[in-house]
Amino acid sequence: MSATPADIVFVNGSVLTVDSRFSVASALAVSDGLVSAVGDRAEVMAHAGPATRVVDLKGGTLLPGINDSHLHGCAFGLTQPPLSVDVAYPTVRSIADVAEAVRKAAETTRAGEWISGHGWDAGYLAECVADSSRLPTRQDLDAVSPHHPVLLYSATGHATWVNSAALDRAGVDRNTPVPPGGVIVTDAAGEPTGLFQEGAQDLVHGALPALSPEVRADAIRATLRTLAKLGITSYTEPGLGPGGDTLMRGALAHSTLDVYRRLLAAGELTARVGVLLLPSGMTGTAEEFVKTLTALDEPASPDPRRLAILGVKLFADGIPVNRTAWMHEPYIGGGCGALCVGGDTDEERVAQISEMIRFTHAAGYQAGVHVTGDRAIDTVVDAFAAAAAAHPRTDPRHYVIHGDFLSADSMRKLAAHGFGVNMNPTIKWTVADLEEEFVGPERAGYEWPYRDALDAGVTVTSGSDAPVTLPDWRQGLSTMMLRESKASGRVSGPDQRIRLAEAIRTYTSDAAWQDFAEDWKGTLEVGKVADLCVLAGDLLTADPHGIPTMPVVFTAVGGDVVHDELTS
């Protein structure tokens, strides 16, 4: 027996270490929050003592704790009832259903107070599906809520739907200037319809009352409870600070980050959180960005393995379904989108985003850039390379966030410089059919090219972008392996399928790389932190179609159990 008996021993299952060889063992021991032994039952039981908890996996699968490397933790919690009206599919299936949900909320909300909701998606609203030109409007909400301003966030986070009372409260009318890169949808008479896209959303978001620290803390706690039940032990919170707090109804800079610090101090942060600072919102100029980032003075975390500021988030363009992703080839129906930063021409906007990236790199931060269109991605990757050449640094690990239409040329450059890409399999599952209406079946099939990126040598990580999609990595694994869509089940881009082991790495060892943490987390190897989860059933032999329904029965973070449905 070991000099110090293990706290927990797991036996009789498949232990996926996700080491460099993807070794599979049958038992594992945890001591003092670390993995202390991995091997067969006899080898690991030698570390057990009288007080050791021995867990029979019963043929289940033990794997590293899941690292969702792009998850808006506070925002996800805020979308859950009772903090928000649920207007997501399948709760609602039509604009009429949305109106009914708002009507019910109005009955229990004092006159004049805001009603907010989350999750609507035109691709799942019957009226919009029947007529692709039909979009949600303020009139759809006015009849059921004439005395309450209403603001409904889309599932993507790139569009907001409001009623007339909200427009009045925000002071938005036909004469309101459109922010650079934003869209105020107007009718034939030039009046706002109540639909705002990209940076124009700030015009109405800014009218919302600020969320208190207590509400934010409750939202994060709700998220942490959900993540524990899903086996998620780490996540990247991509966008806290002045820009992020504006997007999440904050009056005080850094308020959400301060709430995270309070939860850490109170011992309530039951997952590891890496933070990307967001100096400004979805639009802006390089001058504003540099000024704000320069002024940030964040204190060092007392526990950087539990809460760490990793880098800075920037926005380069929008998303394909809004036709705001900047593409080389036109969308069906015309238009190529544009960069969402300040500037009157493409050349000026390229110069703006390039300067933001240059300054971020020179200031010593990791840059995570939201960018989806192929032309925008090429611009961002070229800016990464130029910044690295102008200011040599050791391993900055910049990465493309989303990277929907990552080009072969950009893949080569990312791999050559040691940069990465963060992709979104659960969004792929959700929008695969819808995207064909905007970019056609060939480009829609290619979207999120996992196979090509891995073959090119790019480090690829996966995130849910919750609340855009639920943070269910099991569905992510299935989608990476099958490339089947949610709506029809049709295969979208079969040549971009990847294998199970590769898919698991995007949520574990490679996600740890994105966090600069591969030396101490992301795999189940002796000496690394005991962040782990257990699935009921054998993941290695499971039909990929069945992976999303495999129960998560155990989760631990640093050896501390945060979810447990196992019997010893």
Side-chain angles (χ1 to χ4, degrees):
M1 186 177 72
S2 172
T4 304
D7 299 309
I8 308 177
V9 166
F10 299 88
V11 296
N12 299 334
S14 296
V15 179
L16 312 187
T17 67
V18 198
D19 62 8
S20 61
R21 301 184 306 277
F22 205 81
S23 304
V24 180
S26 61
L28 178 142
V30 175
S31 302
D32 296 325
L34 302 176
V35 176
S36 54
V38 182
D40 61 27
R41 181 188 179 102
E43 292 170 325
V44 170
M45 284 301 294
H47 293 259
T52 299
R53 177 184 177 185
V54 179
V55 175
D56 186 349
L57 295 172
K58 299 177 181 178
T61 307
L62 175 66
L63 66 162
I66 301 303
N67 187 342
D68 189 317
S69 48
H70 191 86
L71 185 157
H72 301 272
C74 185
F76 178 57
L78 290 171
T79 67
Q80 307 303 300
L83 297 177
S84 178
V85 178
D86 184 2
V87 290
Y89 178 88
T91 302
V92 302
R93 299 172 183 267
S94 65
I95 289 176
D97 287 348
V98 174
E100 177 62 15
V102 170
R103 185 192 67 76
K104 289 180 179 178
E107 290 180 346
T108 58
T109 303
R110 289 188 298 180
E113 290 188 356
W114 284 82
I115 295 171
S116 63
H118 183 275
W120 65 269
D121 185 338
Y124 291 93
L125 298 177
E127 299 88 342
C128 302
V129 173
D131 177 1
S132 60
S133 67
R134 172 71 158 99
L135 295 174
T137 70
R138 56 190 169 91
Q139 288 86 359
D140 295 320
L141 305 175
D142 287 348
V144 296
S145 184
H147 306 300
H148 301 85
V150 178
L151 186 148
L152 305 177
Y153 299 91
S154 71
T156 67
H158 289 260
T160 298
W161 172 15
V162 303
N163 68 348
S164 295
L167 287 178
D168 291 341
R169 192 73 64 89
V172 175
D173 58 26
R174 63 183 299 139
N175 299 313
T176 300
V178 181
V183 177
I184 301 175
V185 179
T186 57
D187 60 21
E191 296 292 338
T193 66
L195 195 61
F196 295 77
Q197 296 175 349
E198 310 304 348
Q201 296 176 95
D202 292 347
L203 296 171
V204 286
H205 291 176
L208 288 164
L211 293 168
S212 69
E214 290 73 22
V215 169
R216 291 171 187 253
D218 284 343
I220 295 168
R221 291 186 186 105
T223 293
L224 292 171
R225 289 193 294 270
T226 298
L227 299 186
K229 293 177 182 179
L230 288 170
I232 297 171
T233 58
S234 293
Y235 64 94
T236 298
E237 174 74 87
L240 301 184
D245 285 325
T246 298
L247 293 173
M248 288 192 296
R249 298 161 59 181
L252 301 175
H254 315 288
S255 59
T256 304
L257 186 51
D258 287 340
V259 170
Y260 270 107
R261 292 189 180 106
R262 284 174 44 197
L263 293 173
L264 173 65
E268 296 185 71
L269 201 55
T270 55
R272 304 185 192 277
V273 181
V275 173
L276 295 183
L277 299 173
L278 185 63
S280 56
M282 290 186 176
T283 62
T285 65
E287 182 180 6
E288 295 166 348
F289 176 88
V290 169
K291 181 179 179 180
T292 305
L293 183 56
T294 301
L296 293 180
D297 184 20
E298 298 296 342
S301 173
D303 185 357
R305 288 192 173 189
R306 187 69 60 146
L307 178 65
I309 294 174
L310 299 173
V312 170
K313 182 180 181 181
L314 305 90
F315 283 94
D317 68 350
I319 57 173
V321 294
N322 285 350
R323 303 180 190 272
T324 50
W326 195 28
M327 306 289 286
H328 283 295
E329 300 296 328
Y331 292 97
I332 293 175
C336 291
L339 294 175
C340 65
V341 296
D344 296 327
T345 66
D346 288 338
E347 290 74 18
E348 290 177 1
R349 289 187 284 268
V350 168
Q352 290 281 310
I353 192 66
S354 297
E355 173 58 18
M356 293 179 190
I357 290 170
R358 185 206 65 78
F359 185 82
T360 300
H361 174 87
Y365 290 103
Q366 179 189 48
V369 183
H370 167 108
V371 59
T372 64
D374 50 10
R375 190 171 180 185
I377 294 169
D378 289 347
T379 298
V380 166
V381 174
D382 284 345
F384 284 169
H391 302 278
R393 275 177 53 195
T394 302
D395 200 15
R397 301 192 188 184
H398 304 319
Y399 64 100
V400 168
I401 296 173
H402 306 311
D404 298 38
F405 297 102
L406 187 65
S407 68
D409 184 58
S410 282
M411 290 179 198
R412 287 190 293 269
K413 292 175 181 176
L414 290 172
H417 289 276
F419 303 143
V421 58
N422 179 263
M423 295 187 182
N424 312 110
T426 47
I427 301 181
K428 172 66 180 179
W429 176 63
T430 304
V431 305
D433 293 313
L434 177 65
E435 293 284 21
E436 293 189 8
E437 300 177 18
F438 299 90
V439 297
E442 183 177 350
R443 282 192 289 178
Y446 177 80
E447 190 173 16
W448 286 293
Y450 271 92
R451 178 76 274 149
D452 286 0
L454 289 174
D455 288 348
V458 182
T459 301
V460 182
T461 62
S462 292
S464 64
D465 203 10
V468 175
T469 64
L470 292 176
D472 194 336
W473 59 278
R474 298 166 300 175
Q475 181 60 59
L477 294 182
S478 177
T479 299
M480 284 185 270
M481 297 171 70
L482 297 172
R483 301 282 293 196
E484 293 178 354
S485 69
K486 176 181 180 180
S488 69
R490 290 191 296 113
V491 174
S492 178
D495 55 325
Q496 297 303 328
R497 289 169 171 154
I498 63 175
R499 297 180 292 275
L500 175 64
E502 295 169 318
I504 291 172
R505 287 193 187 280
T506 71
Y507 280 119
T508 55
S509 57
D510 289 343
W513 171 91
Q514 181 180 294
D515 292 348
F516 298 91
E518 71 274 20
D519 289 342
W520 58 270
K521 74 171 184 177
T523 64
L524 296 181
E525 297 178 273
V526 172
K528 290 193 174 182
V529 295
D531 294 357
L532 45 86
C533 66
V534 177
L535 284 179
D538 187 355
L539 181 59
L540 293 177
T541 60
D543 181 333
H545 294 93
I547 291 175
T549 60
M550 295 179 72
V552 177
V553 294
F554 186 92
T555 310
V557 181
D560 294 329
V561 179
V562 296
H563 171 62
D564 190 357
E565 298 178 9
L566 290 173
T567 56
S568 300

